[in-house]
Amino acid sequence: MSPAARKSPAIRRTLTAVGFTTVLFSAVAACGTVENLTAGQKVDQAVEGLGEKKSLAFELGLDAKPSALVKLAGEEEPGEEMPPELAKLFAGVRVKVSVESRKPLADSGEKDLVGTGMSVSGPDGVLAEYRLVGDYTYYRADMKAFGEAMGFPLPTADELPESEKELRPVLEGKWIKIDNHELDRAAKDTTGKETTGKGDKAGKGKAGEADPADEIDSRTQQKILKAVRSVVAREVTFSDKGGSDGVERIVAKASFRDLLTGILDKLRPLADELPAGAELPTEEDLKDAPDKKVAVNFSLKNGDLTRVSVDLATLADDPKGAKVPLVVKFGEAGDISAPAGATKLPAGQFGGRGNRFTSGLLGGF
């Protein structure tokens, strides 16, 4: 995150709140919490349909003008106003995640995945992209554009010291690949924890597998879903707003603070059953949660969920008349195959401890 972005707490709080609400409304609809409502049933079936797909992509971005972001950010203190360049970046950034599996996604485990990928694009094109295919992670980036977006310049290929010449393909924007087992070992060297073999000190996970200590068992999952359902059924209303050209629009509404408070109150008795480090917000933390109604818009075409959107400005302390829709679009996964001609790099060289270049790059990405 750039220094300028860190100076926009209003934007960050609003993004967090709306992101939580969008995911929550989508998830609870898929749990069948509103089976007695026709509009809710449509969303329910559409979200369940995503899990039946073997190929899926979703793209997250803002459907807003840079001037609207500047207006929404306001001037909290002198010198903290959002720069126009940063507003242009935020308005143009798109994050796309793709996944392809041999089985329906709802039934897929890690071993069933053919490939996964993520790309981050800016107003002028792709900033960074990675793909996880087989035993390798593939990566490329537009380093000049990436440095400008992050708020600090990155070295050029000609500026690399002799000890880091292997990184030249990265700085030239070419595809590189790293062995995933080497990445595990590099992570071990960085954190001091065992991530292969018998697992780290906190659990018994094997290389490439989730640590059981970081997972929620099925019984606890059911308790959580039951708790969420009871609150959502009480707090959320779904309504069918009609549509045109085969596209239906359904809106879910609720008081954000009441919804969040109600769910957390139900989850607190389950705190001891959650993974280590999963701390729930306190009542003091919730005082900053927006006490406003939030509406999440679902678009369905031929029964398929194609779009979810919510206006960030509705949860701002003073929206100043701005409209800043946060949009998630769903579709088929694009190309997530292994790129031809990728240069293999040692994981330690690319992201090991003490690497001043890649540590900052991966941390920002």
Side-chain angles (χ1 to χ4, degrees):
M1 182 179 293
S2 69
R6 289 194 293 268
K7 290 184 178 181
S8 302
I11 289 287
R12 294 202 313 275
R13 287 197 303 267
T14 305
L15 278 168
T16 301
V18 175
F20 169 85
T21 306
T22 303
V23 173
L24 176 64
F25 281 7
S26 299
V28 298
C31 293
T33 60
V34 286
E35 291 180 353
N36 60 318
L37 300 177
T38 302
Q41 284 180 321
K42 291 179 180 179
V43 176
D44 180 358
Q45 294 171 1
V47 177
E48 285 187 348
L50 297 179
E52 296 172 1
K53 297 180 181 295
K54 294 182 179 180
S55 174
L56 180 66
F58 67 87
E59 181 183 274
L60 176 71
L62 295 175
D63 185 12
K65 295 181 179 179
S67 57
L69 294 178
V70 173
K71 183 185 294 186
L72 180 62
E75 298 182 14
E76 298 187 359
E77 293 183 14
E80 291 195 352
E81 59 274 5
M82 178 178 286
E85 297 80 9
L86 185 62
K88 179 182 178 182
L89 172 66
F90 281 170
V93 164
R94 299 291 183 270
V95 178
K96 185 174 183 178
V97 178
S98 299
V99 60
E100 185 175 346
S101 175
R102 299 179 184 87
K103 297 180 179 180
L105 294 173
D107 302 323
S108 295
E110 185 176 346
K111 295 180 180 179
D112 300 313
L113 298 181
V114 176
T116 59
M118 182 176 77
S119 65
V120 180
S121 301
D124 300 318
V126 175
L127 295 174
E129 180 179 5
Y130 87 84
R131 299 177 189 176
L132 180 59
V133 185
D135 294 328
Y136 288 91
T137 293
Y138 299 82
Y139 182 87
R140 69 171 176 172
D142 183 333
M143 305 312 294
K144 181 179 179 181
F146 197 101
E148 293 174 352
M150 296 299 294
F152 55 83
L154 294 174
T156 65
D158 294 334
E159 294 172 333
L160 282 173
E162 192 64 34
S163 61
E164 297 179 5
K165 287 299 183 181
E166 287 179 295
L167 293 174
R168 189 178 188 90
V170 181
L171 295 176
E172 293 175 340
K174 299 178 180 178
W175 280 106
I176 59 96
K177 65 179 182 180
I178 309 99
D179 188 292
N180 293 331
H181 291 91
E182 291 183 16
L183 280 176
D184 285 340
R185 288 192 288 271
K188 171 192 170 183
D189 293 340
T190 301
T191 63
K193 293 182 178 182
E194 183 71 49
T195 59
T196 61
K198 296 182 180 180
D200 61 25
K201 298 178 181 179
K204 301 179 180 179
K206 296 181 180 180
E209 296 181 2
D211 188 334
D214 295 330
E215 297 181 340
I216 301 177
D217 61 53
S218 59
R219 183 179 180 184
T220 301
Q221 290 179 28
Q222 292 302 315
K223 290 181 180 179
I224 292 174
L225 289 176
K226 183 178 180 180
V228 172
R229 287 172 180 171
S230 64
V231 178
V232 172
R234 183 180 71 244
E235 300 290 347
V236 180
T237 59
F238 287 80
S239 56
D240 195 329
K241 299 299 182 181
S244 59
D245 298 326
V247 177
E248 294 182 89
R249 189 168 70 91
I250 295 173
V251 179
K253 292 184 178 180
S255 166
F256 180 78
R257 183 183 293 178
D258 290 347
L259 180 63
L260 183 58
T261 300
I263 290 175
L264 291 174
D265 286 345
K266 290 285 187 180
L267 293 182
R268 293 193 200 286
L270 304 176
D272 292 340
E273 301 179 49
L274 300 179
E279 297 181 2
L280 298 175
T282 65
E283 292 184 5
E284 184 67 24
D285 295 332
L286 294 180
K287 289 183 179 180
D288 291 332
D291 187 17
K292 295 187 176 183
K293 285 276 188 180
V294 60
V296 179
N297 297 274
F298 298 89
S299 294
L300 283 63
K301 186 168 186 177
N302 299 324
D304 292 333
L305 182 62
T306 59
R307 191 175 189 268
V308 180
S309 68
V310 62
D311 187 0
L312 299 180
T314 60
L315 288 177
D317 294 335
D318 182 5
K320 302 179 179 66
K323 290 185 179 298
V324 185
L326 176 66
V327 178
V328 182
K329 297 179 181 179
F330 298 90
E332 292 289 320
D335 183 13
I336 46 178
S337 60
T343 301
K344 184 178 180 180
L345 291 185
Q349 178 71 16
F350 185 69
R353 177 186 292 180
N355 190 309
R356 62 181 176 80
F357 165 58
T358 53
S359 296
L361 175 62
L362 293 177
F365 185 47

